[in-house]
Amino acid sequence: MNLRFFRRMDLEQAVELFKDADLLFKHTSNTVFKQGQASDGHMYVILSGSCTVQVLDPMYGGCPVVTSTLYDGHMFGDTQQRPSGDGLVPTRNASVHAQEDSFLLRISVSRYLDIFKRTVGQEAVDKINLLKKASFFRECSGPQLSSLAGHIEEISKQYGDKVVRAGERPPVMFILASGSCSVVIEPASAGVAPTIFSDLQPGQWFGSGAILGQGECEYQASLTIEVTSAMATFFVLTKKSLFFLPEPVQVHVLGILANEMDRCRPPPDEVVKRAKREEEWQAQRSQIVMEVLGRRDRRPRSAQQRRPSRLR
């Protein structure tokens, strides 16, 4: 139970898994499965030893390339598959070989999910489904997200609350789970209404810099995130919570986040364009209002309105 994979679950879950799991031994250089091989619906946990994940791709010159090395407690095989040409039989998209003599536990993915649903409950399953709305979790499987779903912090905010303000460093990464928010450009002077840059829906996120750097977030938010629904719920993702994900998934998630725009810090030129469009619209709106009021003032008065009042 000291292995990383089993630290993510309680005793009841672990016992259930061991009942149906198969213990395998692989000598050094033995193949666990090959790239292109039909998936048998199983995932694997390394009890002792190590394995390498290799990919054969033309972009690498047609030579097998080791993309990662897995050690005690690491899980693999649950997402290293893709639909085949006919869309019916999933195939492995990487090969896994024993780097040394290794003991593996082979677990049915469907059995794992069944145990998880029965022992953890529908709430955790719902959390997994919400997490998978985020772009960087979309390709992750239920087993990979199950431990995170059971430990991730959840917070609620009310209408008008500012989750992150312009000029602040996001302390954590937020994933919107329910409700809605607006990304707001704060006015430069008092008395001017803020400009809405964009709206956020469940599954969208902000504050990724809080988990990408070594220390605190390296940048300040340039825009404010404000709750626009009666209530909004957020998942809070920190560096520590990432450890509830398998290591290959951590690498996958961080790689995606490093190349995606943080919604509280969009490109400055986009912010300037949006602010300018809003300024032009407000000027046009004021002109329209003035023209309407001017036409109303020049409108001929009725005979009764023109009749002088009777002196008493």
Side-chain angles (χ1 to χ4, degrees):
M1 292 294 290
N2 289 326
L3 292 175
R4 178 184 300 187
F5 176 78
F6 295 104
R7 285 204 302 266
R8 302 187 182 105
M9 57 184 70
D10 57 33
L11 182 60
E12 182 183 358
Q13 289 175 314
V15 170
E16 284 284 317
L17 276 180
F18 269 109
K19 284 181 181 179
D20 297 322
D22 299 315
L23 181 64
L24 305 179
F25 176 75
K26 294 291 183 180
H27 287 288
T28 304
S29 299
N30 280 177
T31 300
V32 182
F33 54 73
K34 292 183 178 181
Q35 182 175 343
Q37 175 183 326
S39 171
D40 59 0
H42 287 85
M43 62 187 193
Y44 301 80
V45 179
I46 302 176
L47 298 180
S48 67
S50 60
C51 295
T52 58
V53 180
Q54 297 183 4
V55 174
L56 186 64
D57 194 292
M59 69 178 292
Y60 300 134
C63 298
V65 174
V66 175
T67 58
S68 61
T69 303
L70 310 176
Y71 300 95
D72 296 1
H74 283 169
M75 174 181 67
F76 64 91
D78 53 327
T79 58
Q80 281 142 338
Q81 54 189 49
R82 59 186 173 195
S84 62
D86 56 13
L88 296 177
V89 181
T91 57
R92 305 289 184 179
N93 62 11
S95 299
V96 176
H97 306 281
Q99 185 171 249
E100 58 183 312
D101 289 353
S102 303
F103 283 96
L104 310 176
L105 200 64
R106 184 173 65 181
I107 302 169
S108 166
V109 174
S110 60
R111 178 66 174 148
Y112 176 90
L113 290 175
D114 178 61
I115 293 172
F116 178 77
K117 289 177 182 177
R118 286 192 292 104
T119 56
V120 177
Q122 188 60 42
E123 182 180 353
V125 176
D126 292 340
K127 276 189 177 182
I128 289 177
N129 292 332
L130 287 171
L131 286 170
K132 292 184 75 171
K133 288 185 178 181
S135 58
F136 48 88
F137 284 144
R138 199 164 293 149
E139 297 180 6
C140 297
S141 66
Q144 289 178 323
L145 297 178
S146 60
S147 183
L148 177 63
H151 294 84
I152 195 167
E153 182 184 356
E154 193 173 336
I155 63 171
S156 296
K157 297 289 185 180
Q158 298 179 340
Y159 175 81
D161 285 349
K162 292 177 170 56
V163 188
V164 173
R165 295 175 181 270
E168 294 180 348
R169 296 181 188 273
V172 296
M173 179 176 171
F174 298 90
I175 304 173
L176 182 60
S178 65
S180 60
C181 295
S182 285
V183 184
V184 177
I185 304 174
E186 296 287 4
S189 55
V192 180
T195 299
I196 296 178
F197 180 79
S198 63
D199 294 310
L200 300 183
Q201 301 301 325
Q204 296 184 310
W205 51 269
F206 54 93
S208 56
I211 66 172
L212 288 175
Q214 294 299 319
E216 65 175 0
C217 183
E218 296 179 353
Y219 55 80
Q220 297 176 337
S222 57
L223 304 181
T224 295
I225 310 294
E226 184 175 339
V227 176
T228 53
S229 54
M231 186 74 70
T233 305
F234 301 87
F235 292 132
V236 175
L237 201 59
T238 64
K239 291 185 179 72
K240 287 185 178 180
S241 59
L242 286 178
F243 288 109
F244 290 108
L245 296 170
E247 188 171 328
V249 178
Q250 294 179 36
V251 175
H252 170 76
V253 167
L254 293 175
I256 292 177
L257 290 176
N259 291 290
E260 288 199 9
M261 179 193 75
D262 189 336
R263 288 172 176 80
C264 69
R265 189 175 177 262
D269 57 333
E270 293 295 325
V271 177
V272 171
K273 287 179 184 178
R274 181 67 185 88
K276 186 175 181 180
R277 285 200 302 269
E278 179 66 18
E279 184 180 341
E280 291 172 349
W281 157 242
Q282 291 297 340
Q284 185 180 3
R285 179 175 175 273
S286 298
Q287 184 178 354
I288 293 173
V289 171
M290 293 299 294
E291 289 177 355
V292 170
L293 292 175
R295 284 197 294 269
R296 189 182 66 179
D297 292 340
R298 293 193 299 271
R299 188 172 55 195
R301 290 182 297 172
S302 64
Q304 185 162 350
Q305 289 176 317
R306 291 195 300 270
R307 186 181 304 159
S309 59
R310 187 176 298 175
L311 296 175
R312 295 179 181 268

